[in-house]
Amino acid sequence: MSDQSTRDQAQELRMLEAMLFGHEKGAFTGATDMKPGKFEQSDGGTLFLDEVGEMPAAIQAKFLRALEGHPFERVGGRTTVDANVRVVAATNRNLEEAIAEGAFRKDLYYRLFVVEIQVAPLREHPEDISQLAHFFLEQFVRQSGREINGFTAGAQAALVAYDWPGNIRELKNTVERAVILCTGDQLSETDIQLSNLVAAGGSNTSPVIASRGNVSLEALEQQHILSVLETTEWNKSQAARILGIERSTLDRKLKRYRVVRP
């Protein structure tokens, strides 16, 4: 691993820790003021954490102590902070397998495992796909200011026929990508770009983009970048390595295409 990659990972780790526990002024590059974290902001209430199974091992111990009601320190600080927070956590990862692999703490698993709710994958209730897609469309239309009035029959059929291995997050990202790429007043089947992961020689997986119709190179690049970012769960450093470009180049492309993380 290169020195730059190590520095990028360390910076991302500090940013995640700061998001949860806050940071003091000057704690890291860009920390121009003191900012409370999610735990501190949620004092007396409920904090929802998605994809808790992907939490880095370096943060899990501090997270566990906070869950147990112990005071914590903001990044770069020495003053302790108390927060009484109820945590609701979600993951699509098998945490027992993660424990066996040494990627997740057993004591944290038992602390989280109080009440478990199993949510059926989207493919098991396809009757909800159209309603969810329209909800996301309305959301992105408001954000972007685009004039898009729903889906064509072909687009709706394509959405319902797909099995959505990435569940609702994948559906949301697919609708957002379609809004970005759409050139008409309705999302058509040609705007619905469904990504699949296929094994190359039985080894690593790579995204394959399904394109229909005539699409510009710029639109294809946007689509490919979005697909890789979804695959890496918006880890920009990892996405840049997969794309074969510098992280700064990826940031410039995202700014040019006016693409932000959902």
Side-chain angles (χ1 to χ4, degrees):
M1 184 179 296
S2 68
D3 292 341
Q4 183 60 48
S5 296
T6 301
R7 287 193 293 271
D8 286 345
Q9 288 189 358
Q11 178 75 355
E12 289 174 6
L13 190 63
R14 285 194 296 271
M15 294 294 288
L16 176 58
E17 185 178 359
M19 182 186 71
L20 288 173
F21 304 107
H23 63 76
E24 297 291 345
K25 181 179 179 180
F28 50 83
T29 303
T32 56
D33 296 291
M34 187 282 287
K35 185 175 180 180
K38 298 300 184 183
F39 264 96
E40 197 171 345
Q41 295 174 35
S42 303
D43 186 26
T46 300
L47 174 62
F48 173 71
L49 294 176
D50 196 10
E51 297 298 350
V52 72
E54 305 303 322
M55 182 178 292
I59 295 180
Q60 290 179 25
K62 186 172 182 178
F63 178 54
L64 174 61
R65 285 184 55 80
L67 277 181
E68 292 176 337
H70 297 288
F72 55 87
E73 297 174 351
R74 302 186 191 100
V75 175
R78 296 183 178 179
T79 304
T80 58
V81 179
D82 289 289
N84 180 17
V85 179
R86 175 175 55 193
V87 171
V88 178
T91 183
N92 61 7
R93 188 175 185 182
N94 186 318
L95 293 184
E96 293 181 0
E97 290 181 359
I99 291 170
E101 296 167 357
F104 201 81
R105 293 176 63 105
K106 185 184 294 185
D107 48 3
L108 176 55
Y109 169 76
Y110 287 128
R111 185 66 184 84
L112 288 170
F113 194 70
V114 178
V115 176
E116 181 183 27
I117 300 175
Q118 293 282 350
V119 179
L122 187 56
R123 64 179 175 272
E124 293 184 9
H125 47 106
E127 66 278 3
D128 294 333
I129 291 174
S130 181
Q131 184 176 355
L132 288 167
H134 278 88
F135 171 78
F136 293 136
L137 174 60
E138 291 173 4
Q139 190 178 66
F140 293 127
V141 164
R142 284 197 304 270
Q143 292 175 5
S144 65
R146 300 289 305 277
E147 294 185 3
I148 300 175
N149 306 309
F151 299 85
T152 65
Q156 293 193 64
L159 292 174
V160 174
Y162 188 58
D163 65 357
W164 300 108
N167 291 303
I168 291 179
R169 178 182 286 107
E170 184 182 8
L171 173 60
K172 181 178 181 180
N173 290 340
T174 297
V175 174
E176 181 183 24
R177 182 166 58 242
V179 169
I180 292 171
L181 299 176
C182 178
T183 57
D185 59 1
Q186 278 192 314
L187 296 186
S188 68
E189 186 179 359
T190 57
D191 298 314
I192 306 298
Q193 309 293 338
L194 301 173
S195 301
N196 299 295
L197 296 178
V198 297
S203 57
N204 294 333
T205 59
S206 59
V208 175
I209 313 300
S211 294
R212 305 180 183 91
N214 297 320
V215 183
S216 68
L217 287 175
E218 186 178 73
L220 282 174
E221 182 181 51
Q222 291 182 51
Q223 180 187 344
H224 184 47
I225 289 173
L226 283 167
S227 178
V228 173
L229 285 168
E230 290 168 19
T231 302
T232 63
E233 297 185 348
W234 281 77
N235 182 321
K236 291 184 180 179
S237 297
Q238 184 180 352
R241 287 194 293 272
I242 293 172
L243 292 165
I245 60 177
E246 295 293 329
R247 164 69 184 269
S248 58
T249 302
L250 175 59
D251 286 332
R252 284 196 299 272
K253 288 180 180 293
L254 293 177
K255 184 177 181 179
R256 187 175 76 206
Y257 295 142
R258 292 181 291 180
V259 173
V260 296
R261 182 172 185 171

